[in-house]
Amino acid sequence: MAYFLKKSTNKKGLYLQIYESFYDPARRQTAHRSVEALGYEHELRQAGIADPVAHFKAKVDSMNAERRARKTEERARRVGGSTPERVLGHFPFKALDARLGALGDLRYLQLAGGLRFSVSDLLSELVYARLCAPCSKRRTFHDVLPSMFGSEGFSLDRLYDGMGFLGAEYPKVIEAYNHAIADVWPRETSRTYFDCTNFYFEIDREDELRRKGPSKERRADPIVGMGLLLDADCVPLGMRIYPGNESEKPVLKRAIDEMRRRAGVTGKVVRVADKGLNCADNVADAVLSGDGYIFSKSVKQLPRAELAWVLSDEGWVDVAGVDGQARYSYKKVVGDFEYKVNSENGKKRAVALPEKRVATYSPKLAKKQLAEINRQIEKARSLRLAAAKKSEYGDSARYVTFTAVDADGEVPDGMQVACSLNREAIERARSLAGYNMIVTSEVNMPASEIYDAYHNLWRIEESFRVMKSQLDARPVYLQKPNSIKGHFLVCYIAVLLLRLLQVKVLGNRYSSEEIVAFARGFRVVEASPRKYVNLSRSSSLLDELERLSGQPLGNYYLKKSEVDAILNTKLDFEATQDGVS
């Protein structure tokens, strides 16, 4: 794993040896062995070495450097033969990291852990590898890191140790990045966006973190929950990892409290979240904290009088899109609405809160929902004709009535199960297609602004999509809870840097797909000693990064010095225009 200078003191004096640390599979831990006995310090001085300790420390450093170079060369040969492709697409994210300076502060984090390697360097390499070539940690170690310019060459044991350490301390890492970002681009927290998702694990047994609960993919496997918090510019601001069997509703409060405490956020924050986070406790917490909220509310659960108001033809205002067609319609009402919250004695009590409610109707949403309703109805009809089991109906069961009958058509102790289409449920679902309700404490905010604020939640959905698809956050092959948290931290920092590059540096002119495609496509291959061929494809994004970096990114041939300059470039942030969603 590494060489080090061992100094032993006995009666004869200070004795020096070069030792090697290595992993002992029998004991499943690090062990040490002697590589070279050097002799006593005073005898080495007599032999003409003025400072034996300094002299042999330099020798040890040289041996470690040669070992790292040898390992890198061996891994490179495994990746692609004598002239492998080398990854260079991570240079914009490396430049961002250098500008922020969070990694410098994170170097102190490992002091308490007693780790003998740079955890911040490990974190950055894993993040860049995740952006350029996402795969398992073992494949990252064997295939990706050796092909990346600037890789330090960590051992696999240190990689796993570092993942566990980072996972245990992931809130501190996020805090360090938030402080670093605030020094460059002040965070806009007057409005925050929050949502939750979960990740399934194909395992049989649950543990303290991976527990069975409601899965987004409707699977029965154990899951881990993740809550993600974005600022008003839709840049990640915080993350919470929690066991899969816990409700996601209290996670919003914990995430907001964490943001205030660790990021030094003050002032009013309008919390924007989907209907899954809309509960009396979250509403009450926002009000008691001096914050505001914008939540959606299921129209299916509205009281009869309020639902009748939503479905009536009166009061609608049409909002046209760029094509002149109606994009959506809305109606609004302001009043005192009742919520039942916990009191000091543990019982529920009703409180009335001033609230604006905005009902919306979207033709596009209605078309999408009607298509899904019809699909579920056809599924239920075909299953009914095939005499399928009730468990096979899945979501389509909401449009089916199941009745236990005997041979005479009566319902005694429950014999055979008969099913029929629930016409009432079908008509109700069709009548509500396209409708939504948004509730907010911001009674003076215009309805169109409330609508736009709520629908910016697609950015957080995009972040989850990027994490799950483009960054391959799943499947997760790690087993220990802290290592799993470390994996999600790497994915979080990758999304954070991606969004900063997209929003703050490139002014929202390029999609996350375009940026990721550039990172994975910007590669070079060594054509001859100290000369490389640029394999990247021409694009407007490459031209923009060439302008910001001042480096010859579009050249077909690149010198070794130019490759080094690209890797260590400093993007011209002053030449960018901030863009917000």
Side-chain angles (χ1 to χ4, degrees):
M1 293 170 64
Y3 299 105
F4 63 93
L5 183 64
K6 182 177 182 181
K7 295 175 284 185
S8 306
T9 303
N10 55 36
K11 294 181 180 180
K12 195 174 178 179
L14 183 64
Y15 191 74
L16 302 180
Q17 300 177 78
I18 295 179
Y19 261 61
E20 177 187 26
S21 63
F22 67 99
Y23 180 74
D24 185 349
R27 293 189 292 171
R28 302 181 68 181
Q29 64 183 25
T30 301
H32 308 293
R33 58 191 169 204
S34 177
V35 174
E36 183 180 353
L38 303 173
Y40 287 98
E41 182 186 28
H42 65 275
E43 293 176 349
L44 294 169
R45 288 182 186 275
Q46 292 172 2
I49 302 176
D51 189 346
V53 174
H55 174 82
F56 288 108
K57 274 187 176 180
K59 180 178 180 179
V60 167
D61 291 340
S62 177
M63 292 171 66
N64 282 324
E66 290 177 4
R67 183 172 189 164
R68 285 194 297 269
R70 188 167 58 253
K71 285 186 175 181
T72 300
E73 184 179 351
E74 290 172 356
R75 292 175 193 165
R77 283 199 296 270
R78 289 198 297 268
V79 173
S82 58
T83 57
E85 294 181 13
R86 302 295 300 278
V87 177
L88 198 55
H90 57 295
F91 82 87
F93 307 106
K94 189 172 185 295
L96 259 177
D97 260 340
R99 179 65 178 86
L100 295 174
L103 294 175
D105 289 343
L106 287 174
R107 295 183 190 280
Y108 301 107
L109 186 64
Q110 69 191 67
L111 296 179
L115 300 179
R116 300 176 62 180
F117 59 93
S118 174
V119 175
S120 59
D121 286 346
L122 175 65
L123 173 63
S124 63
E125 290 195 20
L126 291 177
V127 169
Y128 305 153
R130 180 64 45 178
L131 286 160
C132 294
C135 54
S136 69
K137 297 301 176 290
R138 182 173 291 276
R139 278 193 58 201
T140 297
F141 170 76
H142 287 296
D143 298 342
V144 182
L145 293 181
S147 69
M148 288 179 60
F149 277 107
S151 175
E152 293 293 328
F154 294 91
S155 69
L156 187 58
D157 291 324
R158 286 187 172 182
L159 188 151
Y160 285 129
D161 289 345
M163 287 290 295
F165 179 81
L166 288 167
E169 303 292 349
Y170 83 88
K172 294 180 181 177
V173 176
I174 294 174
E175 179 184 352
Y177 266 95
N178 281 336
H179 278 267
I181 294 168
D183 289 339
V184 181
W185 297 291
R187 304 299 290 263
E188 175 54 65
T189 56
S190 61
R191 186 178 299 157
T192 61
Y193 298 90
F194 187 83
D195 201 359
C196 294
T197 190
N198 49 55
F199 299 82
Y200 64 83
F201 290 75
E202 295 178 338
I203 58 174
D204 296 325
R205 286 189 175 184
E206 298 176 281
D207 56 30
E208 59 185 277
L209 182 62
R210 297 173 293 180
R211 306 297 296 270
K212 291 185 178 181
S215 169
K216 301 293 183 181
E217 288 79 17
R218 308 186 190 284
R219 298 172 64 106
D221 304 300
I223 58 176
V224 170
M226 173 191 288
L228 192 61
L229 184 70
L230 306 186
D231 65 16
D233 294 332
C234 296
V235 175
L237 186 60
M239 175 184 70
R240 296 287 303 183
I241 303 295
Y242 57 95
N245 64 336
E246 289 187 6
S247 169
E248 60 186 25
K249 291 182 178 180
V251 182
L252 173 59
K253 178 183 184 307
R254 296 201 295 266
I256 294 291
D257 291 345
E258 186 94 353
M259 175 194 71
R260 289 191 183 280
R261 182 169 61 88
R262 291 185 177 272
V265 172
T266 58
K268 183 177 180 178
V269 175
V270 178
R271 311 174 184 184
V272 186
D274 208 343
K275 59 177 66 72
L277 283 303
N278 183 0
C279 64
D281 290 338
N282 281 338
V283 169
D285 181 69
V287 173
L288 293 175
S289 301
D291 289 341
Y293 59 87
I294 299 176
F295 294 147
S296 69
K297 188 178 182 68
S298 174
V299 292
K300 299 176 184 178
Q301 299 175 2
L302 292 176
R304 182 174 300 178
E306 194 169 358
L307 180 60
W309 170 76
V310 171
L311 297 179
S312 70
D313 295 332
E314 299 177 356
W316 290 100
V317 177
D318 294 334
V319 178
V322 292
D323 57 356
Q325 301 295 320
R327 184 162 66 99
Y328 69 94
S329 304
Y330 72 85
K331 62 168 62 175
K332 60 184 179 180
V333 65
V334 176
D336 291 334
F337 293 88
E338 185 177 284
Y339 285 93
K340 291 184 178 180
V341 299
N342 291 318
S343 59
E344 294 181 358
N345 60 10
K347 296 183 178 180
K348 295 282 187 180
R349 64 185 181 90
V351 296
L353 297 176
E355 192 173 76
K356 175 180 279 190
R357 298 199 165 187
V358 180
T360 66
Y361 176 80
S362 167
K364 185 176 180 180
L365 177 63
K367 183 178 179 181
K368 177 182 176 182
Q369 291 181 340
L370 284 172
E372 177 62 18
I373 291 169
N374 291 334
R375 188 185 70 82
Q376 295 287 2
I377 293 170
E378 289 304 314
K379 177 183 176 182
R381 183 178 285 114
S382 62
L383 289 172
R384 176 174 172 269
L385 294 175
K389 297 179 180 178
K390 181 178 179 180
S391 59
E392 297 178 38
Y393 279 78
D395 288 344
S396 65
R398 70 186 69 176
Y399 304 121
V400 178
T401 300
F402 297 93
T403 309
V405 298
D406 62 7
D408 298 325
E410 304 203 357
V411 189
D413 297 329
M415 305 288 288
Q416 182 182 356
V417 174
C419 58
S420 59
L421 292 179
N422 189 332
R423 302 292 178 183
E424 183 179 348
I426 292 172
E427 290 306 314
R428 176 178 169 80
R430 285 175 171 165
S431 68
L432 298 180
Y435 288 95
N436 192 30
M437 171 75 81
I438 306 173
V439 301
T440 179
S441 59
E442 307 308 288
V443 295
N444 296 319
M445 182 181 289
S448 58
E449 188 175 336
I450 294 170
Y451 179 90
D452 291 339
Y454 172 75
H455 281 270
N456 251 347
L457 276 172
W458 75 271
R459 281 294 191 185
I460 205 165
E461 294 172 359
E462 181 196 39
S463 297
F464 285 138
R465 177 176 54 79
V466 168
M467 197 176 290
K468 290 185 176 183
S469 58
Q470 295 177 358
L471 300 182
D472 285 355
R474 60 182 184 188
V476 185
Y477 300 102
L478 301 165
Q479 301 296 321
K480 298 180 180 178
N482 282 337
S483 296
I484 293 171
K485 293 176 183 178
H487 167 75
F488 289 129
L489 173 66
V490 168
C491 295
Y492 172 88
I493 300 298
V495 172
L496 173 64
L497 294 180
L498 177 64
R499 290 291 292 150
L500 284 174
L501 184 65
Q502 181 184 14
V503 176
K504 297 297 187 179
V505 179
L506 299 173
N508 261 331
R509 295 186 295 276
Y510 300 92
S511 67
S512 60
E513 288 84 0
E514 290 176 295
I515 297 172
V516 170
F518 169 83
R520 296 177 184 176
F522 194 65
R523 295 168 177 256
V524 297
V525 63
E526 189 174 2
S528 62
R530 308 192 67 79
K531 186 171 77 173
Y532 294 84
V533 171
N534 185 352
L535 302 179
S536 62
R537 300 185 63 179
S538 300
S539 67
S540 60
L541 176 55
L542 185 144
D543 295 339
E544 178 69 5
L545 290 173
E546 185 174 62
R547 181 183 72 83
L548 295 175
S549 65
Q551 302 296 336
L553 305 183
N555 286 14
Y556 184 61
Y557 292 108
L558 294 171
K559 301 176 184 177
K560 177 63 166 62
S561 59
E562 291 173 328
V563 170
D564 292 338
I566 291 172
L567 184 63
N568 297 296
T569 191
K570 294 182 179 179
L571 294 179
D572 185 3
F573 293 100
E574 299 302 324
T576 64
Q577 295 180 354
D578 286 1
V580 295
S581 303

